[in-house]
Amino acid sequence: MATYTPMIQQYLKIKANYQDAFLFFRLGDFYEMFFDDAINASQELEITLTSRDGGGEDRIPMCGVPHHSAPNYIEQLITKGYKVAICEQTEDPKQAKGVVRREVVQLITPGTVMDGKAIQDKENNYIASVTVFDSQFGLALSDLTTGENLVAICASFDELLNEIYSVGAKEVVISNEFPESLKKQLVDRCQATLSYQLDTNTTTKFEVILNQVTDERLVKTFDRLLTYLERTQKRSLDHLQQVKVYYLQDAMKIDLYSKRNLELTETIRSKGKKGSLLWLLDETKTAMGARLLKQWVDKPLVDRSKIEERLLMVETLIANYFEREDLRQLLKEVYDLERLAGRVAFGNVNARDLIQLKKSLQQVPEIEKLCLTLQKEGYFSQQLDACVDLAMLLEEAIVETPPLSIKEGSIIKDGYHSQLDQYRDASRNGKTWIAQLEQQERQKTGIKSLKIGYNKIFGYFIEVSRANLHLLEEGVYERKQTLSNAERYITPDLKEKESLILEAEEKIVELEYQLFVDIREKVKNYIPRLQGLAKHLSKLDALQCFATVSENRHYCKPNFSSNGELSIKDGRHPVVEKVMDSQEYVPNDCSFNHDRGMLLITGPNMSGKSTYMRQVALTSIMAQIGCYVPATKAVLPIFDQIFTRIGAADDLISGQSTFMVEMLEAKNAIAHATSQSLILFDEIGRGTSTYDGMALAQAIIEHIHEFIGAKTLFSTHYHELTVLEEQLHSLNNIHVKAIEENGRVVFLHKIEEGAADKSYGIHVAELADLPSSLIKRAKEILTELEKEKTEAIPVKTKDIVKEETFSDSDSQLSLFPVEKQASNKGQQIPKKEQAAIELLKSLNLLEMTPLDAMNELYQLQKKVKS
Ligand code: ADP
Ligand code: MG
C-alpha cells in the first residue's frame, strides 16, 4: 500500500492537533488546505478545489490562497464563526534536510481575532470561558484587543446566557465535561463558537493580574481562559489588565428578551445599531468612549449614589458649554489607546500608529486643564497621566508622516541617533558629490543635456544623447546600456561613490528598523499607564456624550424617589421622537404611586400604547445609566429589574412559536420580578384564542397585583379587562385618546385616565387601504356584534354571534342579520331601514374610493339612526 509523502504526513500530524480549525499550511507563497478542509474551504470561500498526488492511493483534495491575500480569507472564515490555524515554515528551506519544519504559530478564532472587519471600533470583542460549579457558573471574559478582563459568578444558567448574550461574546471556552444540553443552548441562544480547554495551568507570570480575585472558582475559570489564550496565540499577552470581579446584582437586570424588545443596542428588525437607544445616545468622539457607552447601556446602575455621581458630572458638563465643546474637540484627536496597547503587546504597530499615539497624548494636558476648570464645580477630580516622557520620545524620534511599512526607513527623525545621522550624512554627501559630478562632466564635455541618473538594475549612470556621443573622450566611459536615442555609461569614480551611498542607505534602513523596534519595546512599558489613561478618557467621553445629547434633545435631570413613586411629566420616547421630528411627538405623563401600581392601557391600534410603555422603560434606563431623560420633569424609583413582553417579535433563532416565546417571557417576569421591578406587558395573550388569551391576561394581572407588586404597564385589546379596575385596588385604567372626525379615526397619541370606549381596529384597516367593500362588511359585522354584546356577558358574546352570523349559508342574509331576525319573527322591517338597505344595494363598491365609502356609510347610518 502506498504511503503518504513526508510532507502530507507532516500535514496530518499537525492537523491532528487542530481538528476544529482550518489548517492554513504554508507552502512557498501559498497557504494550502487539504482533504476535508480543502473541500469545506473551497465552498465557504468560493475558491477552486483542485487535487494533488500525496503518495496515497487517491489524489488528495486541495485548495489554497496566496499568502499576501490570506488576511482577507481568514477574516471571512472567522466572521462565519470558524477557527483558522496558521502553520508556517519555521526553518529556512535552503537549510532544511528533508521536509522543511513547520509549526502552527497562531490559532485565530472569533474570540481572539485582533484586526480586520471582524473587529468593530465601537464594540468590545469578548471571548468567554465558563465553568460549572454545582448550580452556579463561573464566567470569565477577556477582550484581547483591549486587554480588559472580567470575572463574575452567575447564579443560574439563564443569568449566564444573559451575560454572554449582552456582552456579545463570540466564543466560549469550556471543558470537555460541560453538559451537552447547556452547550446547545450556548450555541443557539448566544451564537457562540465553542472551544475546549482541559487543563488550567497558566504561567505564574500572570498571577499578578489575578491579585484581586479571591474566589477560587473565578480563578479557575479565568485560568482556563488564559491557558487557552496562551496556547492559541503563542505570543506576548503583556497588555492583559488586572482581572476585575463584577457582581451581577450591581446592575439593573434586563433579561435577554427585554433587551431585545426595548431595542437598547440593536433593533429587532434589522439587528443593526441604527434606531436603538445606543444609536440615539452615541455622541462619543472616541472608539473607547463608544465602547464604554455600550457597556453602560447594557448595565444600568442600581446604586443611587453612583447614578447621582454620573448625573452630577453630566450636569456640570451641560452647565459649561464652552468647556464641553473644547473637550469634544480634543477628544476627537484621541486615538484608540486601548486597542493600540493591545497591538503594541502583539508587536504589530507601525510608525503611523505611534504618531497617532503621540498626537493623542499631546491632547491630554489640555484635557486635564479643562477638567481642572470643571473641578471647581466638583466631581472632576481625576488626575490624567499624559505619559509626557513617552510623548517626548515619540516627538524626538519619529517623523510626522512616516510610511506604512516599518522596514523601508524614512521613519526616524534626524538628530535622534548619531550613528543614523552619520549614515545619512554619507548618503547625502555622496548624492551632493554626484550632483557636482554632473556639473563637472557637462563642462568637461560641453554636453548640456548630459545627466546622471539612477535605476535599480544598473545603479548610477551618465546618460548622453546619441547626437552628442562624439563629444565624449575615448576610453574614459564604460558603456552599460543602450537606449533608442541615448547611451548610458559608468566610470570607476561614479561606481565607487555609488557603493558608498548604497551601503549607507542599506545601513540606514537596517538601523531605522532596529531603532523603531526599540521604540516599540519602550512603548510596551507604558501599556498599563496608557490603559489607565484610556479609562479616564473614555469615561469623560461617555459623560460629555450624555451632556451633549441631553442638551440637544432638551432632556431633564431625573430625581429619585425612595417610596416607589414614579412621576414623569411630558415624557417622550427618545428614539421615536428623534426619528419623527420632535414637533410632532405628543408628550405624555405617567405616574405610579402606592395606590396606583398597575396601569391597564386600552386604545386603538396604532394609537401609541406600545410606544408609551417603552418610553417609560427607556426613561428609567436612561436615568439609571446617568443620563438626563426625555421629559420636562421626572421623579423615578430605582428599578432593580425591567421585564418586557412587547409586540409579536418572533424568536426565529430558537425556532419557538410566538406564543411560546410570549409565555416564556411572561414566566421570566413573573418568576423574578420584585416590588422594585418594572414590568411591561404589551397585548399579552394575543397569540392564542380569545378566551384563552383573555383568561391568561386576567390571571397574570391578578397574580402581579396580589403577589408581586411590581410597577406594571399592561396594554390590552381586551376591553373586557377594564372592569378589573373595580376589583383590584391598585389597578388603574388609562387609554390613548382617539377621536372620530368625519367618520375617520384621528389618533391624538394622548394618554388619558379611564378606559377607551372602543377599539377602532377597522379604522386602522381602512388606513391600511384594505378594499372598501371589505371594510364596509367589517363595520356591519362589528355593529351587529356590539349590539349582541350588550345583551349577554361580555366574554361569550362574540362567539355566539359569530356562529349565528356565519352559519347561514345565504351570504346575502348573513350580511343583514337584522333583516334575518326580523323576518324570522314575521315582523316588518322598519321603513327607514328598508330604505337604507335599498340604498346599500345600489352602491357600486368597486368604483368607490375609501373616502366615498365612508361618506356613504355615514349617510346610511344617519338614515337608520334618525
Ligand atoms: P399601538 O401599540 O397602540 O398599536 P404604537 O405604540 O405602535 O401603537 O404606535 C404607533 C405609531 O404611532 C408609532 O409608530 C408612532 O409613529 C406613532 N406614535 C406613537 N406614540 C406617539 C406620540 N406620543 N406622538 C406621536 N406619534 C406617536
Ligand atoms: Mg402595540
Side-chain angles (χ1 to χ4, degrees):
M1 197 185 89
T3 49
Y4 286 127
T5 60
M7 192 199 75
I8 293 296
Q9 285 179 26
Q10 182 192 39
Y11 171 88
L12 288 170
K13 211 166 139 201
I14 298 175
K15 174 72 193 174
N17 291 323
Y18 293 93
Q19 298 285 8
D20 62 347
F22 283 101
L23 183 66
F24 273 43
F25 191 76
R26 185 69 178 264
L27 267 183
D29 282 342
F30 276 77
Y31 287 113
E32 299 289 0
M33 279 159 276
F34 302 111
F35 302 101
D36 283 352
D37 269 11
I39 296 170
N40 297 333
S42 70
Q43 281 168 1
E44 294 290 354
L45 299 172
E46 296 180 16
I47 51 179
T48 318
L49 182 67
T50 58
S51 66
R52 76 180 272 154
D53 182 13
E57 277 162 19
D58 299 323
R59 289 179 70 79
I60 298 171
M62 172 174 107
C63 72
V65 299
H67 88 100
H68 59 82
S69 55
N72 183 15
Y73 290 109
I74 294 172
E75 198 169 282
Q76 283 186 48
L77 291 172
I78 298 296
T79 347
K80 290 181 177 190
Y82 295 111
K83 305 172 194 175
V84 178
I86 308 292
C87 177
E88 295 288 358
Q89 297 172 175
T90 48
E91 70 179 337
D92 187 344
K94 285 180 212 131
Q95 318 277 310
K97 296 192 195 87
V99 184
V100 56
R101 192 170 63 232
R102 288 185 178 82
E103 279 164 48
V104 170
V105 296
Q106 189 187 4
L107 179 67
I108 307 176
T109 67
T112 61
V113 56
M114 285 291 281
D115 39 35
K117 286 197 204 86
I119 298 292
Q120 306 279 326
D121 281 356
K122 295 188 163 194
E123 279 175 35
N124 281 102
N125 194 58
Y126 286 113
I127 179 166
S129 134
V130 179
T131 316
V132 193
F133 297 101
D134 301 324
S135 62
Q136 298 199 319
F137 296 83
L139 169 68
L141 296 166
S142 181
D143 181 344
L144 211 51
T145 64
T146 63
E148 203 175 342
N149 298 307
L150 298 163
V151 287
I153 291 286
C154 302
S156 67
F157 190 63
D158 271 351
E159 256 186 31
L160 177 79
L161 284 181
N162 270 344
E163 273 313 288
I164 295 182
Y165 173 83
S166 78
V167 302
K170 304 210 178 71
E171 183 175 358
V172 182
V173 183
I174 51 180
S175 80
N176 287 26
E177 289 129 38
F178 201 81
E180 278 303 319
S181 58
L182 301 188
K183 262 191 222 170
K184 186 172 164 0
Q185 290 198 56
L186 268 181
V187 174
D188 289 351
R189 292 245 143 224
C190 303
Q191 320 239 292
T193 300
L194 292 185
S195 298
Y196 297 89
Q197 179 64 43
L198 290 187
D199 46 337
T200 58
N201 40 8
T202 45
T203 47
T204 45
K205 188 172 143 203
F206 284 107
E207 264 170 16
V208 51
I209 64 169
L210 274 159
N211 271 348
Q212 292 163 13
V213 189
T214 47
D215 188 329
E216 273 310 309
R217 298 174 297 177
L218 292 177
V219 172
K220 186 168 178 198
T221 310
F222 188 77
D223 252 353
R224 184 185 312 288
L225 184 55
L226 202 50
T227 313
Y228 177 78
L229 292 176
E230 284 198 304
R231 174 167 74 81
T232 57
Q233 300 310 297
K234 303 174 191 286
R235 56 175 92 189
S236 154
L237 298 172
D238 287 347
H239 67 303
L240 289 186
Q241 305 181 34
Q242 279 290 330
V243 182
K244 218 175 104 193
V245 186
Y246 72 104
Y247 302 92
L248 267 50
Q249 62 270 27
D250 285 349
M252 178 202 261
K253 280 190 200 157
I254 314 175
D255 61 59
L256 199 141
Y257 308 112
S258 306
K259 276 203 170 127
R260 221 182 283 166
N261 284 338
L262 288 171
E263 310 194 304
L264 294 188
T265 57
E266 59 179 32
T267 59
I268 296 173
R269 276 202 195 168
S270 70
K271 300 252 178 281
K273 180 174 165 189
K274 184 152 193 243
S276 67
L277 178 67
L278 182 63
W279 165 77
L280 168 95
L281 290 176
D282 194 354
E283 284 288 341
T284 55
K285 290 288 174 189
T286 66
M288 332 177 255
R291 290 196 295 271
L292 183 66
L293 175 67
K294 181 163 188 288
Q295 292 175 11
W296 282 4
V297 171
D298 268 326
K299 289 199 183 332
L301 301 168
V302 288
D303 181 313
R304 183 165 171 169
S305 61
K306 282 191 187 145
I307 299 172
E308 284 177 342
E309 189 186 313
R310 273 192 208 164
L311 280 169
L312 282 166
M313 292 176 89
V314 172
E315 185 174 31
T316 310
L317 284 162
I318 290 180
N320 293 275
Y321 174 82
F322 293 107
E323 284 78 2
R324 189 177 84 230
E325 279 309 303
D326 288 349
L327 177 63
R328 284 164 63 78
Q329 287 305 322
L330 291 164
L331 285 172
K332 222 164 105 184
E333 303 300 318
V334 174
Y335 193 52
D336 194 339
L337 298 176
E338 279 177 320
R339 288 214 159 130
L340 181 97
R343 302 225 312 279
V344 170
F346 263 50
N348 50 3
V349 284
N350 59 33
R352 286 193 189 169
D353 292 324
L354 295 187
I355 286 297
Q356 299 261 38
L357 171 59
K358 180 189 81 178
K359 286 195 181 138
S360 310
L361 292 175
Q362 286 170 344
Q363 313 303 316
V364 179
E366 280 299 310
I367 295 178
E368 198 166 21
K369 245 189 254 165
L370 278 177
C371 285
L372 278 177
T373 327
L374 298 170
Q375 164 70 12
K376 285 188 204 121
E377 321 262 335
Y379 323 110
F380 284 85
S381 52
Q382 306 140 335
Q383 290 261 308
L384 296 177
D385 177 359
C387 301
V388 182
D389 31 357
L390 175 59
M392 260 162 60
L393 167 71
L394 298 175
E395 175 68 37
E396 279 163 16
I398 298 183
V399 299
E400 285 308 303
T401 47
L404 263 183
S405 162
I406 55 171
K407 293 200 170 152
E408 286 161 24
S410 310
I411 290 178
I412 306 293
K413 271 189 181 166
D414 282 344
Y416 174 69
H417 194 267
S418 59
Q419 182 71 55
L420 179 64
D421 289 347
Q422 281 172 24
Y423 291 143
R424 281 186 175 156
D425 274 350
S427 151
R428 281 179 201 138
N429 289 341
K431 283 181 180 158
T432 321
W433 183 89
I434 283 173
Q436 283 164 358
L437 180 71
E438 192 177 68
Q439 287 305 322
Q440 288 164 12
E441 288 292 330
R442 280 182 191 167
Q443 277 168 8
K444 198 169 95 188
T445 57
I447 308 172
K448 286 221 175 61
S449 64
L450 176 147
K451 61 180 181 200
I452 298 185
Y454 176 83
N455 72 28
K456 279 208 167 120
I457 302 163
F458 298 108
Y460 287 98
F461 53 77
I462 299 171
E463 185 174 305
V464 179
S465 62
R466 200 161 289 287
N468 291 317
L469 288 180
H470 63 280
L471 295 171
L472 288 182
E473 192 183 334
E474 295 266 329
V476 177
Y477 303 93
E478 182 188 338
R479 187 158 61 215
K480 244 335 199 201
Q481 193 186 9
T482 303
L483 305 179
S484 61
N485 57 355
E487 295 283 352
R488 288 175 173 175
Y489 299 92
I490 55 170
T491 66
D493 274 2
L494 186 60
K495 281 294 122 177
E496 193 185 319
K497 277 291 174 213
E498 176 189 295
S499 63
L500 278 177
I501 294 172
L502 293 185
E503 200 180 317
E505 277 179 355
E506 201 172 295
K507 284 193 175 135
I508 290 171
V509 169
E510 244 168 56
L511 184 55
E512 283 210 45
Y513 178 68
Q514 196 46 51
L515 291 171
F516 176 78
V517 172
D518 288 349
I519 295 168
R520 199 166 63 185
E521 280 307 301
K522 284 190 185 135
V523 179
K524 232 180 192 178
N525 297 328
Y526 287 86
I527 289 177
R529 287 173 66 185
L530 291 174
Q531 287 168 334
L533 177 63
K535 284 213 165 59
H536 282 150
L537 293 178
S538 44
K539 188 170 170 194
L540 276 177
D541 195 11
L543 289 169
Q544 72 73 21
C545 150
F546 283 171
T548 304
V549 178
S550 299
E551 183 166 84
N552 291 351
R553 309 216 60 87
H554 310 290
Y555 295 164
C556 78
K557 185 177 174 187
N559 287 309
F560 297 99
S561 64
S562 39
N563 58 358
E565 185 198 333
L566 178 149
S567 158
I568 298 173
K569 187 148 176 26
D570 298 327
R572 287 108 60 193
H573 186 299
V575 179
V576 176
E577 180 193 44
K578 173 168 174 166
V579 172
M580 68 188 282
D581 182 4
S582 28
Q583 301 295 314
E584 287 169 27
Y585 194 89
V586 182
N588 275 305
D589 301 345
C590 181
S591 77
F592 283 111
N593 53 43
H594 183 64
D595 298 321
R596 187 180 159 98
M598 297 182 82
L599 298 173
L600 187 71
I601 313 171
T602 42
N605 266 324
M606 287 298 288
S607 62
K609 298 184 297 298
S610 304
T611 311
Y612 178 70
M613 296 169 81
R614 284 173 188 229
Q615 88 188 23
V616 176
L618 291 175
T619 300
S620 282
I621 290 172
M622 287 168 76
Q624 287 181 238
I625 60 178
C627 185
Y628 279 22
V629 298
T632 53
K633 193 161 184 283
V635 179
L636 306 165
I638 291 177
F639 287 117
D640 63 349
Q641 308 174 75
I642 292 187
F643 298 93
T644 64
R645 158 64 215 165
I646 291 185
D650 262 20
D651 197 344
L652 295 174
I653 300 167
S654 60
Q656 284 161 317
S657 79
T658 314
F659 189 62
M660 189 58 194
V661 175
E662 201 169 312
M663 287 302 112
L664 278 173
E665 294 179 16
K667 182 214 88 173
N668 206 30
I670 286 163
H672 301 292
T674 70
S675 60
Q676 320 289 313
S677 309
L678 174 66
I679 299 179
L680 312 185
F681 276 159
D682 194 352
E683 314 237 7
I684 204 148
R686 198 164 201 171
T688 181
S689 76
T690 309
Y691 285 167
D692 250 14
M694 203 171 352
L696 272 168
Q698 180 167 342
I700 289 173
I701 293 174
E702 287 172 359
H703 183 91
I704 297 175
H705 190 269
E706 293 307 306
F707 302 110
I708 303 179
K711 303 274 173 299
T712 305
L713 286 155
F714 198 109
S715 78
T716 183
H717 58 290
Y718 298 126
H719 283 258
E720 293 81 354
L721 293 177
T722 55
V723 299
L724 288 173
E725 188 183 44
E726 285 151 33
Q727 298 155 32
L728 302 174
H729 157 77
S730 80
L731 179 78
N732 286 262
N733 286 326
I734 56 173
H735 70 280
V736 200
K737 190 160 185 197
I739 50 165
E740 253 182 284
E741 248 176 40
N742 299 329
R744 283 219 149 202
V745 63
V746 178
F747 297 132
L748 300 180
H749 304 300
K750 198 75 198 163
I751 297 281
E752 297 199 342
E753 294 295 307
D757 43 5
K758 49 177 155 174
S759 109
Y760 300 88
I762 297 177
H763 291 85
V764 177
E766 203 175 344
L767 285 181
D769 263 347
L770 280 168
S772 49
S773 54
L774 187 155
I775 299 287
K776 202 161 176 184
R777 166 77 181 125
K779 284 179 178 166
E780 286 155 7
I781 298 174
L782 179 68
T783 316
E784 196 49 34
L785 290 173
E786 279 175 350
K787 217 168 175 185
E788 294 284 332
K789 203 156 120 182
T790 52
E791 290 159 18
I793 44 166
V795 214
K796 284 188 177 167
T797 322
K798 280 191 180 171
D799 269 36
I800 294 166
V801 178
K802 218 190 221 160
E803 269 176 30
E804 247 186 37
T805 319
F806 293 102
S807 62
D808 204 301
S809 57
D810 184 341
S811 62
Q812 276 301 313
L813 276 182
S814 74
L815 249 175
F816 302 107
V818 183
E819 189 179 35
K820 179 182 154 199
Q821 274 176 9
S823 55
N824 276 352
K825 290 176 187 162
Q827 285 169 358
Q828 279 292 313
I829 301 168
K831 222 176 176 175
K832 56 186 182 185
E833 291 191 21
Q834 189 60 50
I837 290 169
E838 287 311 318
L839 182 65
L840 188 58
K841 279 184 181 163
S842 71
L843 294 180
N844 184 355
L845 294 180
L846 294 178
E847 297 287 336
M848 288 169 102
T849 66
L851 196 66
D852 292 341
M854 261 327 291
N855 286 331
E856 286 301 339
L857 191 63
Y858 181 67
Q859 294 302 333
L860 276 172
Q861 198 185 41
K862 225 162 83 181
K863 271 203 167 59
V864 191
K865 268 187 175 169
S866 57

